[in-house]
Amino acid sequence: MHNRISNIRHAPKRLLATALLAGTILAAGGLGNAAIAQEKVVIAVSPLGADSNLYWTTTGAFIFPSMQTLVGNDPETGGYDNSQLAESWEHSDGFKTWTFKLHPNATFNGDWGPVTSADVVHSFNLHIGEDAKLSGISRFREMTITAVDDHTVRFDLPSPDPDFLFSHAGRGSLVIYSKAQFDAEGLEGYETAPAGSGPFQYEGREVGQSLTFSTIADHWSGVTAEFDQIEFRWVSEPSTRFAMLSAGEAHAVTLPRDLSDDAMEAGQTVLSSTAGAMQSTMLFTGQFMNPEAEENRDARTYAWADVRVREAVNRALDRDAILEVLYGEGVQALPVYTMDPRFPGYSEEIATGFDDAFGYDPERAMELLADAGYPDAFDNAAIPLVVTSLAGNPEFAQMAELVQAYLDVVGIETEMREQDWATGNTAIRGFTADFVTPMRNAPVRPSALGVQIFFTKHASPHLDVGDPELNELGAMLIDETDPATRDQLLQDMFTRIFETYAHIPMASVPASVAVNSELVEGWTFPGSTSSGLSHYHLIDLK
């Protein structure tokens, strides 16, 4: 088995490395002639889903370095800080009212004046419009916003939300635009050149190709990058991005994990975020733990409705080998999907007990299957595994293939289903999903939000596993505002998920970027955004 896994990993890499090496040799002159000037930083990434200057019309995967949210993230820890537009904030005892004080010296670029609460209210109204596509924006439509004074803005929520800062930080559900620019130029002004208040100024875009910003020398925040410009280039092919990096045509590029290994072997540097940027798992779909599930939402006829089969699936997997293939060395297994040490609810007991409960044990897996009468006792013994791809997660298809290989060893029947991400989501949302599918949590949500989305009926009913105990705990969590009680409720929920083997947890993965080792010394970023990348002013050039 291990030889098979090793071959899966390394054979494609040798072919890619050979092809790319040939391309680099033909690139006329190598690094010395091709390297770009250090006053301009170039970052090559996958094309965006929406190429627009109107942030609220996108899915929120990329926040311009010229734009700002209310709350920042510390580059070292990922914790919330006041490096964006809010100098401070406070909440009511019940977490239903949140008040933000703006930095009094914050100004928009391009002489559009100071940032005030009127700009926040104006931007809020744009973001909740009918054309908004941002994830989580429906929550904003349920709240009200008030400009208390020129530098104070208050949000009144319909229900308690102790994790409200998440929406205003790296997740970026609200980006602040200039009302003065809108009054003077309308949406056309934003589409042409949105002002922004960040340490970079928007210069222009070539649709589908690139986006350029210039550095502001004396920014109001005191932050100044050591280079004059930053350009983002949209490049679809990972091999092309790799070639750009090798030739010195880009300072930094995003790469799949296998090409990141090749980049390091070629002498380049791969930098990782200081905190986890993404969690991955494979979810059993359907209300398989609900004894009273409706027929069209019922997965109880499938093998994974039996907890012994779910444990066997988990015991069959050599996670260390799988994760090394998918993500490289140093990535750790995730004990429970959506549990994270940065947020309340983290259980050290679960983390330390993971190997005992989920560790690779094919013999135990086969004992559990025999005890469950598998496969004869099940009308639907074969477990369908979704083979799909998702931007930013090229590992998902290979994840399904590796899981299939391990399940086959212990005698678990599988069925591979190739489908695009949209098709799978349509089935899940229509309560017709009858498969095991990979899922990501990126950026990593606060645990109280993530556990409700992926396991209960309270946030995303279509992902509800149907467990009455989890749903009861989730209902209590919604109404509870005491931090200690919330922490215990979350621990109870994670314990329940853990003990019932309600999913197939995989990994907590940092964001990574490959940088040209002759051009870039370092770059500190916490992995707190949807794309994983941020804090561009901290790119340290050689």
Side-chain angles (χ1 to χ4, degrees):
M1 173 57 64
H2 288 285
N3 288 336
R4 178 179 180 181
I5 299 296
S6 178
N7 290 336
I8 291 173
R9 179 183 182 189
H10 293 292
K13 286 175 57 180
R14 289 195 294 269
L15 295 174
L16 282 169
T18 301
L20 290 169
L21 179 59
T24 302
I25 292 173
L26 295 173
L31 181 61
N33 294 330
I36 51 183
Q38 283 292 73
E39 52 270 3
K40 181 179 183 179
V41 166
V42 173
I43 301 176
V45 299
S46 300
L48 300 177
D51 207 352
S52 173
N53 289 346
L54 308 181
Y55 179 75
W56 63 91
T57 67
T58 74
T59 58
F62 178 68
I63 299 177
F64 291 179
S66 62
M67 307 301 292
Q68 290 186 301
T69 55
L70 287 179
V71 180
N73 293 96
D74 182 273
E76 293 284 353
T77 67
Y80 303 127
D81 66 18
N82 65 352
S83 61
Q84 296 287 296
L85 287 172
E87 180 181 50
S88 63
W89 49 82
E90 59 184 17
H91 57 78
S92 63
D93 290 341
F95 292 97
K96 292 180 67 173
T97 297
W98 286 80
T99 304
F100 296 82
K101 290 277 189 180
L102 303 179
H103 284 284
N105 59 334
T107 58
F108 284 106
N109 306 329
D111 299 321
W112 286 109
V115 179
T116 71
S117 55
D119 299 299
V120 180
V121 173
H122 165 71
S123 300
F124 176 87
N125 289 329
L126 288 174
H127 282 60
I128 63 172
E130 293 183 358
D131 57 344
K133 298 179 181 178
L134 294 169
S135 175
I137 205 63
S138 59
R139 174 72 167 157
F140 273 56
R141 293 186 175 117
E142 299 174 350
M143 63 186 70
T144 59
I145 184 171
T146 303
V148 178
D149 58 39
D150 283 350
H151 288 92
T152 308
V153 63
R154 186 183 73 239
F155 294 83
D156 292 298
L157 285 57
S159 59
D161 188 356
D163 296 308
F164 190 52
L165 295 181
F166 175 73
S167 297
H168 294 285
R171 187 69 174 104
S173 294
L174 178 61
V175 168
I176 309 306
Y177 285 74
S178 165
K179 184 177 184 299
Q181 183 183 18
F182 182 84
D183 291 342
E185 300 177 349
L187 284 180
E188 183 178 350
Y190 291 169
E191 291 172 334
T192 303
S197 55
F200 297 89
Q201 180 163 313
Y202 178 91
E203 293 295 340
R205 73 163 67 241
E206 292 185 39
V207 176
Q209 298 186 50
S210 64
L211 192 58
T212 304
F213 302 86
S214 61
T215 299
I216 298 174
D218 297 309
H219 189 253
W220 63 265
S221 68
V223 167
T224 301
E226 63 176 87
F227 44 88
D228 295 333
Q229 282 190 320
I230 184 168
E231 179 183 346
F232 297 88
R233 294 183 187 171
W234 319 130
V235 181
S236 298
E237 290 298 324
S239 58
T240 304
R241 298 198 296 273
F242 188 8
M244 291 174 64
L245 183 74
S246 301
E249 295 175 1
H251 289 76
V253 303
T254 55
L255 294 174
R257 295 324 190 279
D258 57 347
L259 284 184
S260 291
D261 290 345
D262 291 338
M264 288 189 289
E265 291 173 6
Q268 310 299 359
T269 303
V270 174
L271 302 175
S272 295
S273 59
T274 56
M278 185 268 289
Q279 296 176 336
S280 64
T281 190
M282 294 192 77
L283 292 181
F284 300 109
T285 57
Q287 293 198 319
F288 54 91
M289 292 177 70
N290 185 354
E292 298 178 355
E294 298 173 10
E295 185 176 351
N296 68 331
R297 301 170 66 177
D298 187 4
R300 284 178 294 136
T301 63
Y302 287 84
W304 65 84
D306 190 310
V307 66
R308 293 167 294 185
V309 175
R310 297 198 299 272
E311 181 179 352
V313 168
N314 278 284
R315 295 282 195 178
L317 304 180
D318 184 347
R319 281 178 174 78
D320 290 341
I322 291 174
L323 298 185
E324 184 177 352
V325 172
L326 296 177
Y327 302 114
E329 297 180 0
V331 173
Q332 301 296 317
L334 178 69
V336 180
Y337 188 55
T338 74
M339 188 177 79
D340 187 279
R342 289 168 289 185
F343 300 114
Y346 183 78
S347 170
E348 189 64 37
E349 182 179 356
I350 290 176
T352 57
F354 180 73
D355 285 341
D356 286 341
F358 283 73
Y360 181 45
D361 190 343
E363 290 77 13
R364 177 59 181 156
M366 289 186 279
E367 290 174 1
L368 288 162
L369 292 172
D371 187 51
Y374 184 91
D376 297 337
F378 299 90
D379 293 335
N380 293 292
I383 297 179
L385 302 175
V386 167
V387 182
T388 190
S389 61
L390 178 65
N393 291 89
E395 308 85 8
F396 276 3
Q398 194 175 18
M399 180 186 293
E401 293 168 357
L402 292 171
V403 168
Q404 181 194 39
Y406 279 106
L407 297 187
D408 181 64
V409 169
V410 299
I412 296 177
E413 301 172 12
T414 57
E415 171 193 341
M416 304 301 278
R417 293 190 185 176
E418 294 190 14
Q419 62 185 29
D420 58 43
W421 190 257
T423 299
N425 265 346
T426 297
I428 291 171
R429 292 180 181 277
F431 300 103
T432 60
D434 58 350
F435 45 70
V436 175
T437 185
M439 195 68 68
R440 72 174 183 183
N441 181 21
V444 178
R445 298 166 174 86
S447 297
L449 176 61
V451 73
Q452 298 278 40
I453 290 174
F454 292 103
F455 296 100
T456 79
K457 66 182 181 181
H458 301 295
S460 299
H462 48 276
L463 288 173
D464 176 22
V465 300
D467 180 36
E469 182 174 327
L470 276 177
N471 281 321
E472 182 179 357
L473 290 168
M476 295 168 63
L477 185 66
I478 290 173
D479 296 326
E480 184 57 60
T481 59
D482 176 68
T485 305
R486 287 177 59 82
D487 183 74
Q488 187 58 57
L489 285 170
L490 282 165
Q491 288 197 34
D492 291 344
M493 294 179 78
F494 289 132
T495 298
R496 177 67 176 173
I497 294 166
F498 181 80
E499 291 180 346
T500 58
Y501 297 89
H503 66 324
I504 311 170
M506 284 296 182
S508 176
V509 186
S512 65
V513 60
V515 300
N516 186 293
S517 57
E518 296 190 25
L519 300 176
V520 178
E521 182 69 32
W523 179 8
T524 303
F525 56 98
S528 57
T529 66
S530 292
S531 66
L533 303 182
S534 63
H535 295 72
Y536 302 103
H537 62 283
L538 294 181
I539 296 175
D540 183 14
L541 301 180
K542 289 191 172 180

